[in-house]
Structures are given as C-alpha cells and as structure tokens.
C-alpha cells in the first residue's frame, strides 16, 4: 500500500520540498497571528478612544447644564462670578452645540453643527425617542471626525433637546497611523520570519536528511549501519530508533536468509549428489542385477529425502504466505495427544525410549485444526525421540485452566543432551540444525520446528523453549484460553 502525502502534478519541485512547506507554514502561521494581534490592538485602542471621547462629552454635557439659564426666552448663558475661566469654557462648548425646545424652536445652533455632513433630523428624532442620550461619530466637510452626544436634557424643571460635540480628529489619526504603520511593517516582519523559518527548518530536517542518506547507503554489505541519536528524546530520536530497529531486523533477516540459502543449497545438493553418484556407479561398474538394485535403491532413498525436503519447504512457504488456512473444529486435545503418541511407539521401542503422557482427568476440548495440530505435535515428538538416548524418557503433559481462566499448555519434554543457549535463539529458523550428535546420526531436515512455531502462532498461541546443555529440552505449545471459551460443550459429545 502506498500513501501519497502530496500531489505533485502541476507543483514546482522547489515548493514540493518539506523545508519550503515548513517555511511557508511558519510564515502563514505568523501572518495569521500577527494580523489577529493587530486587529485586536486596533479594537482595543478604538474602544479606549471611544471611552475617552464619551468622558469628554459627558463633561461638556454637564457644563452646558451648569451654565445654561432657561429662565429667559431664549435661554442665555450665565457664568458664575466666583469661578474664573468660565467664559473660556462656555466659548469652547458653544463651538459644537445644538439646543432646541421640544416644540421644535431652535435656541442655539453653532456653525460647527451646521457643517456636519451626516447630522440629520433622523438623528434628532432618534435621540429624542431614546431613554438615554446617544453617542455617535460624525464627519465634517473635509473629513474631520467628531463625537456627538445628543438626547433629552432637563434643567430648571424644563426638558429640551441638547446635542454637544467634540473634535476627535487627532485621537483617531493616532489610531489610524498605528494601524497603517503596523500593517505596512507586517510584510517586513513576515520576510524576517521566513528567513528564520528557512534556517530553523534546515536545522530541524538535518536528522531527516541524515536518515535519508543512511537509507540510501543501506545495502547487503552495509546493514550494520546505525544512526546516533541526538539525545533530545523528541520525535526525531524516536524515528532514528525506529530506523535503527528496522536495520537490525533487516540485518538479522538477511543473515537468516543467507544462512538459509547456504543450508538449503547443502540440503538439496547432498541427496542429489548421492543419487547421481549411485546411478553413475550403477552405469559404470555394476555387473549384476543385485548391484543395479542396490544402487537404484540408494538413489531412490535420496530422491525421497529430497522430495520430503521440497515438500516441507513448499508447505512452510504456503503457511508463511497465508495460503494455508486453518479449519478450526472442536476436538478433544487429550485424544489428539494419545493418537500422536501411538504413531511413535514403534520408533521409541527401537531406540529403547520410553513414552509417557500426563493428561488431565477431564477432557480438554478446544478449537484447533486437527491435521495441522497433529503435524505440529508430531514434529515435536519426532525431534524428542530422535534426540533422546537409549533408556531416556519422552513425556507429554497437557494442562489447562480446569474451570479457571488460563492458557492451554501442551509440553513435550525429553532427557536428551539439551540445547546450548547460543543455539536456542535459532532453533526455530528454517534448516537450522544443532549438529552435536555423531556424524552419522539422523538430525532431520531442520524444518520441523519452523513449521511447529508457525502452527502455534496460527492457532493464536506461541511456542516456548526451556533447555540447558545436558539436561534435556522442553518445548511447550501455549494456546490462548479463548480457544476453550469458544468451544462450548454440546448436548451430546462425539469423541474425536
């Protein structure tokens, strides 16, 4: 399965590089962040200026109510004699003011209000109808900005319409200048961010480039290559550890394949050479029928050995490739064990080896593929009988949960020479043989344990080995307890 991370059609190679995409991501991220920050600052400053303008207008509103005299018609301005500078205050507030009665009589309308381009009677009527004075931003003929507070006012038990304004051009020009300068400087900032992002992406991707170079240097002669971790404990170190682990597995598997090739060549060449030699002897030197028969008999035996080896290799290849499917059925494991033991009674008697079994008092039913299960068990028993010296014992023991959740454990033990620790890691490899017996001993094809391990795993279990040199070996087939749970007893059990 191939995963396409990016579409390459129509995209220049420069922009397909991970470094460029990371840099563009940095720039885009900072552009969004800085733009958002600029807009937040703009709104915060605008709100602050609005609040300041409102405070100024409320002060102007209060001054109007303090100095306006409604006892005359029209109203007049009455400064207090005990407060200096009042005339300047009155002159200031009258620059932008509109006062009229509720009947529509205009008492005062400053020239500044006449020039407001967007001050209309709609604003006047809306302000009179509102429960509280309204504040609005308006503009003069040359684009000047004003803040206007308008609504109903009360003084000396009289209600009237009042609108006061203050110019805010300078304050909002500061805001506009800030926003303009901020966003004009933004491209330069993003350019600096782009250069920094390009540099940081280069440093961040250096381990990836080293990893790519190492992957390119990997070959059958350089599988011992390993990358040094940076010690940061980050994702790149995890990637390096994963890559080194992959190389270790490749090196181990390649070594196994190389050894398998050597062993397979040797195992295939030996019977072929023997058969050919016997046939050549028969052709060149045999004179009687018995001599021909003996030579042909040896050749047939070697060809039969070769046929068994090829069949076993084919069977194991089918199993490992998934072509060999298990057909799980409900079987009594104790009966299967006794059936397999019966097949080796003659071979055990010929070697003076005693076969023993330790079965549970109650039947143990589980879901297994009977042919493959018996073939797996036969491989273990065959190896045990072959490796056990005369007078030794081969014992099969079956144990399971007995009503308590637990794995099914079927062990095959022998009293043979055992397996040295340096061989135990390889006994399940294909065509691997522990050659510690006499030179003429039959040490098998070296495929039985490989197939037994596959069969145990195919049943959802595993194969365990416990052995030490000189103290025999115990191979244990461990099946999950789910195999028992998935095999309920029927109303009438048919003995397997």
């Amino acid at each position: 399965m191939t995963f396409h991370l990016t579409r390459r059609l129509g995209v220049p190679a420069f922009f397909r590089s991970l470094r460029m995409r990371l840099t563009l991501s940095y720039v885009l991220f900072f552009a969004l962040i800085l733009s958002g920050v600029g807009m937040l600052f703009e709104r915060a400053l605008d709100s602050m200026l609005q609040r300041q303008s409102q405070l100024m207008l409320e002060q102007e509103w209060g001054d109007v109510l303090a100095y306006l005299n409604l006892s005359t018609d029209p109203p007049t301005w009455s400064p207090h004699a005990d407060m200096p500078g009042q005339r300047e205050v009155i002159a200031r507030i009258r620059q932008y003011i509109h006062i009229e009665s509720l009947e529509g009589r205009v008492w005062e309308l400053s020239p500044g209000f006449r020039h407001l381009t967007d001050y209309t009677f709609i604003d006047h009527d809306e302000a009179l109808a509102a429960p509280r004075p309204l504040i609005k931003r308006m503009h003069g003929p040359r684009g000047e900005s004003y803040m206007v507070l308008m609504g109903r006012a009360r003084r000396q038990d009289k209600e009237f319409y009042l609108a006061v304004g203050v110019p805010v051009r300078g304050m909002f020009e500061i805001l506009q200048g800030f926003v303009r300068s901020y966003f004009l400087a933004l491209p330069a900032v993003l350019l600096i961010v782009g250069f920094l992002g390009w540099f940081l992406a280069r440093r961040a991707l250096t381990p990836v480039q080293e990893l790519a170079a190492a992957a390119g240097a990997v070959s059958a002669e350089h599988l011992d290559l390993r990358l040094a971790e940076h010690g940061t404990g980050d994702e790149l170190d995890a990637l390096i550890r994963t890559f080194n682990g992959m190389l270790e597995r490749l090196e181990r598997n390649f070594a196994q394949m190389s050894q398998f090739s050597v062993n397979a060549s040797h195992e295939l060449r030996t019977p072929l050479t023997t058969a050919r030699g016997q046939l050549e002897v028969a052709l060149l030197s045999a004179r009687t029928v018995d001599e021909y028969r003996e030579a042909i008999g040896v050749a047939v035996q070697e060809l039969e050995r070769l046929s068994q080896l090829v069949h076993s290799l084919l069977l194991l290849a089918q199993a490992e490739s998934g072509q060999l499917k298990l057909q799980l059925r409900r079987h009594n494991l104790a009966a299967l064990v006794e059936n397999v033991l019966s097949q080796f009674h003659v071979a055990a008697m010929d070697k003076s080896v005693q076969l023993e079994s330790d079965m549970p008092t109650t039947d143990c039913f589980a879901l297994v593929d009977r042919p493959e299960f018996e073939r797996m068990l036969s491989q273990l028993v065959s190896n045990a009988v072959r490796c056990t010296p005369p007078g030794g014992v081969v014992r099969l023991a079956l144990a399971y949960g007995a009503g308590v959740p637990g794995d099914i454990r079927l062990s095959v033990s022998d009293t043979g020479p055992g397996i040295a620790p340096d061989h135990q890691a390889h006994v399940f490899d294909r065509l691997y043989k522990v050659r510690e017996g006499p030179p003429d001993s039959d040490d098998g094809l070296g495929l039985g344990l490989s197939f037994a391990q596959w069969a145990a795993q195919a049943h959802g279990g595993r194969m365990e080995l416990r052995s030490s040199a000189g103290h025999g070996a115990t191979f244990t087939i461990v099946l999950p307890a789910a195999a028992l749970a998935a095999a309920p007893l029927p109303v009438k059990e048919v003995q397997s």
Side-chain angles (χ1 to χ4, degrees):
M1 181 180 295
T2 302
F3 295 92
H4 298 281
L5 299 180
T6 57
R7 295 183 179 273
R8 297 191 173 186
L9 296 178
V11 180
F14 180 71
F15 291 100
R16 290 202 302 264
S17 69
L18 182 58
R19 184 179 180 185
M20 174 55 67
R21 282 183 282 151
L22 285 175
T23 303
L24 293 177
S25 299
Y26 295 152
V27 173
L28 179 60
F29 174 76
F30 275 97
L32 293 175
I33 292 297
L34 294 177
S35 298
V37 170
M39 288 187 288
L40 287 177
F41 269 112
E42 179 186 10
R43 292 192 176 185
L45 289 175
D46 184 74
S47 176
M48 183 180 66
L49 293 177
Q50 294 275 6
R51 180 58 182 166
Q52 185 176 358
S53 301
Q54 182 177 354
L55 293 176
M56 294 174 58
L57 287 172
E58 290 175 352
Q59 178 66 38
E60 297 286 313
W61 187 282
D63 290 340
V64 170
L65 297 181
Y67 299 125
L68 186 64
N69 182 12
L70 296 178
S71 60
T72 61
D73 190 12
T76 58
W77 298 92
S78 302
H80 302 286
D82 57 342
M83 296 181 63
Q86 296 178 59
R87 296 186 183 276
E88 290 78 4
V89 174
I90 294 174
R92 187 189 72 242
I93 62 179
R94 293 181 68 184
Q95 290 180 358
Y96 304 99
I97 194 169
H98 178 196
I99 307 175
E100 69 176 47
S101 66
L102 297 183
E103 293 80 13
R105 291 175 56 197
V106 178
W107 290 338
E108 184 169 353
L109 180 61
S110 63
F113 256 94
R114 292 193 184 98
H115 295 141
L116 293 179
T117 57
D118 45 5
Y119 180 66
T120 64
F121 287 106
I122 297 177
D123 300 312
H124 173 277
D125 296 339
E126 182 183 358
L128 285 175
R132 301 184 60 179
L134 302 179
I135 183 170
K136 289 191 176 184
R137 184 177 177 182
M138 297 184 178
H139 302 85
R142 291 185 297 273
E144 313 96 294
S145 296
Y146 300 88
M147 298 300 293
V148 179
L149 184 64
M150 50 190 171
R152 290 175 178 265
R154 176 183 291 273
R155 177 171 170 73
Q156 298 174 353
D157 296 330
K158 292 183 179 180
E159 280 192 340
F160 57 94
Y161 172 78
L162 174 62
V164 294
V166 292
V168 292
R169 179 178 181 180
M171 292 187 295
F172 282 95
E173 281 183 349
I174 295 175
L175 174 61
Q176 293 173 356
F178 166 77
V179 174
R180 183 168 53 253
S181 300
Y182 183 88
F183 283 99
L184 285 177
L186 188 58
V189 174
L190 293 179
L191 185 61
I192 296 174
V193 169
F195 280 115
L196 291 176
W198 181 264
F199 175 73
L200 292 176
R202 177 183 179 183
R203 293 196 60 181
L205 292 176
T206 298
V208 179
Q209 294 172 346
E210 294 175 354
L211 197 63
V218 170
S219 64
E221 293 78 16
H222 296 88
L223 287 175
D224 58 343
L225 178 66
R226 299 293 184 272
L227 289 179
E229 298 184 22
H230 293 76
T232 57
D234 56 7
E235 292 82 354
L236 289 175
D237 271 356
L239 179 61
I240 292 174
R241 285 194 298 270
T242 303
F243 181 77
N244 289 337
M246 179 193 68
L247 289 179
E248 291 177 2
R249 292 191 298 273
L250 285 175
E251 184 178 19
R252 184 169 58 253
N253 292 337
F254 188 80
Q256 291 177 356
M257 291 177 59
S258 300
Q259 186 63 37
F260 170 75
S261 299
V262 173
N263 293 340
S265 300
H266 174 75
E267 296 295 335
L268 292 172
R269 183 173 62 249
T270 299
L272 285 175
T273 302
T274 303
R276 178 178 178 178
Q278 291 295 326
L279 293 176
E280 287 178 348
V281 168
L283 289 174
L284 297 176
S285 60
R287 295 291 183 267
T288 65
V289 174
D290 291 336
E291 291 177 349
Y292 277 110
R293 187 182 300 275
E294 181 181 359
I296 293 175
V298 174
V300 169
Q301 290 179 359
E302 293 299 324
L303 291 177
E304 178 63 24
R305 175 183 174 86
L306 179 62
S307 176
Q308 292 178 2
L309 177 61
V310 173
H311 178 266
S312 298
L313 285 173
L314 179 61
L315 185 63
L316 186 59
Q318 289 176 341
E320 293 179 345
S321 64
Q323 299 180 28
L324 190 59
K325 302 296 183 181
L326 298 184
Q327 302 294 326
L328 301 181
R329 297 289 186 272
R330 185 174 180 276
H331 294 285
N332 183 2
L333 297 187
L336 297 185
V337 170
E338 295 296 342
N339 183 48
V340 171
L341 280 179
S342 65
Q343 301 173 15
F344 290 91
H345 281 160
V346 175
M349 290 177 61
D350 291 342
K351 288 195 63 176
S352 299
V353 172
Q354 184 178 356
L355 294 180
E356 296 180 355
S357 63
D358 183 6
M359 296 294 106
T361 57
T362 58
D363 292 334
C364 175
F365 290 94
L367 291 177
V368 295
D369 184 304
R370 178 169 182 170
E372 304 306 334
F373 185 85
E374 289 185 341
R375 184 181 289 113
M376 169 179 60
L377 188 57
S378 297
Q379 296 288 354
L380 298 180
V381 176
S382 175
N383 285 348
V385 171
R386 185 172 60 250
C387 297
T388 302
V393 177
V394 173
R395 175 184 293 273
L396 274 74
L398 175 62
Y400 66 102
V404 180
D407 293 334
I408 306 170
R409 304 182 68 87
L410 176 58
S411 60
V412 179
S413 305
D414 62 63
T415 57
I419 302 174
D422 55 339
H423 289 300
Q424 293 183 19
H426 304 285
V427 293
F428 295 107
D429 296 344
R430 288 173 293 183
L431 295 178
Y432 187 87
K433 300 178 182 180
V434 182
R435 303 180 185 275
E436 295 183 350
D440 58 345
S441 63
D442 180 15
D443 51 5
L445 299 175
L447 293 173
L449 291 179
S450 299
F451 183 85
Q453 184 186 47
W454 170 85
Q457 294 173 350
H459 280 86
R462 64 185 184 276
M463 185 74 68
E464 295 179 353
L465 168 62
R466 186 178 71 256
S467 178
S468 59
H471 296 84
T474 299
F475 289 87
T476 303
I477 304 167
V478 182
L479 299 182
L484 284 173
L489 287 173
V491 177
K492 183 178 181 181
E493 174 62 33
V494 179
Q495 187 74 13
S496 298

